[in-house]
Amino acid sequence: MSDRHIFPSKDGDFNNYVQTVITYIIDWQLHLRITDDDLEEALGLVIKWNNNWKVYADENLSNKFSQKEKVSLRSQIEICFRRIYLDLPVSVLTTNDKLVLNIKGHGNDSTTDILIVDFAPRMLGDENEHLYQTLKLQSPKTPNSMEMPHGHWVYLENFIGEADMKEADIVFGNGKNVSKAFHSTHFDIKEVGKTSYYRCSYENNTGKRGPVSRVLAIMIW
């Protein structure tokens, strides 16, 4: 199932889409066979989106933080929804389901295994400001483009520890899928002075991962 045109490009249209979809999958959870865990994750992200949208959409309140948070949450929602859609059984999908969710194809029976790339993402520190850092993720094969390799997204791992740690001592975790070229991480005040370590790889539509990137270390302030 292609996801290229599932999500509206304009923020306002995307917001309307999110409100429609979350209501629909809550009402039709049993029919669509969506797990409680998947629905809980989607609902939690939408609640965060709605809280931030109130600020972002208000020209008197919108600020740099709300703009970055909008980008981050949109990415997380797209990934969450995409995973839910890929798990929808073909046998239960109705014409109305496809219309509301904007699914052009079918459910998980149509998933095609895209050959995983044999290179890692290029990861750069784009911004390092008080209590948040932004990474820039690019394909080394297309350095002048913000596009991911077709059918891939980035699997990003993070660890917060002391400065100058040996790579073998870093216990990476908190893995998340990132589908945009820029990704922000926010920190607690108690983490100031520590170092945030990152590594990433490409992941295809069936969960296979390619080579791992170099480790990037950025101090938190």
Side-chain angles (χ1 to χ4, degrees):
M1 177 176 64
S2 173
D3 59 10
R4 184 175 294 276
H5 301 297
I6 290 177
F7 306 105
S9 59
K10 295 182 178 179
D11 290 333
D13 293 340
F14 179 79
N15 178 62
N16 293 335
Y17 174 82
V18 165
Q19 309 311 321
T20 299
V21 168
I22 195 65
T23 300
Y24 192 81
I25 64 176
I26 289 173
D27 290 343
W28 297 98
Q29 179 187 4
L30 294 180
H31 156 66
L32 295 170
R33 301 180 189 176
I34 298 172
T35 66
D36 290 341
D37 287 344
D38 282 347
L39 183 59
E40 183 178 353
E41 179 184 358
L43 184 58
L45 288 171
V46 172
I47 289 173
K48 291 179 180 179
W49 169 272
N50 289 343
N51 290 337
N52 186 70
W53 183 258
K54 292 176 183 177
V55 179
Y56 172 78
D58 188 331
E59 61 180 15
N60 296 317
L61 298 176
S62 185
N63 52 43
K64 190 173 184 178
F65 176 81
S66 66
Q67 293 165 5
K68 288 182 175 293
E69 187 74 355
K70 184 266 298 182
V71 173
S72 175
L73 286 170
R74 174 170 178 137
S75 175
Q76 293 176 63
I77 289 172
E78 288 184 3
I79 291 169
C80 178
F81 281 11
R82 183 188 303 114
R83 284 181 167 174
I84 290 175
Y85 298 165
L86 286 173
D87 284 338
L88 298 179
V90 174
S91 59
V92 306
L93 288 177
T94 66
T95 300
N96 194 55
D97 295 335
K98 297 176 187 178
L99 181 64
V100 173
L101 303 179
N102 199 29
I103 298 174
K104 303 302 183 183
H106 300 284
N108 53 19
D109 282 0
S110 65
T111 301
T112 301
D113 188 354
I114 294 173
L115 184 65
I116 188 69
V117 296
D118 60 358
F119 53 88
R122 176 181 294 166
M123 181 171 51
L124 304 170
D126 185 65
E127 289 185 330
N128 184 20
E129 301 192 25
H130 183 51
L131 297 182
Y132 78 85
Q133 298 170 355
T134 300
L135 302 180
K136 183 178 182 181
L137 305 164
Q138 287 182 297
S139 167
K141 301 295 185 181
T142 54
N144 295 322
S145 171
M146 295 292 101
E147 296 293 327
M148 301 282 180
H150 174 67
H152 292 69
W153 45 84
V154 170
Y155 182 75
L156 177 68
E157 297 177 278
N158 176 235
F159 177 78
I160 297 173
E162 302 305 318
D164 301 320
M165 290 182 65
K166 295 181 180 179
E167 189 169 338
D169 295 329
I170 301 173
V171 183
F172 282 104
N174 302 316
K176 62 183 67 177
N177 290 110
V178 178
S179 62
K180 302 294 184 182
F182 294 91
H183 178 77
S184 295
T185 300
H186 301 272
F187 305 96
D188 294 328
I189 190 69
K190 64 183 179 182
E191 293 168 327
V192 168
K194 294 186 177 182
T195 297
S196 184
Y197 296 89
Y198 302 92
R199 74 177 182 185
C200 63
S201 57
Y202 282 118
E203 183 176 290
N204 70 3
N205 62 332
T206 57
K208 295 179 181 178
R209 294 177 193 150
V212 177
S213 71
R214 67 183 180 86
V215 174
L216 179 64
I218 306 176
M219 179 173 288
I220 302 166
W221 68 279

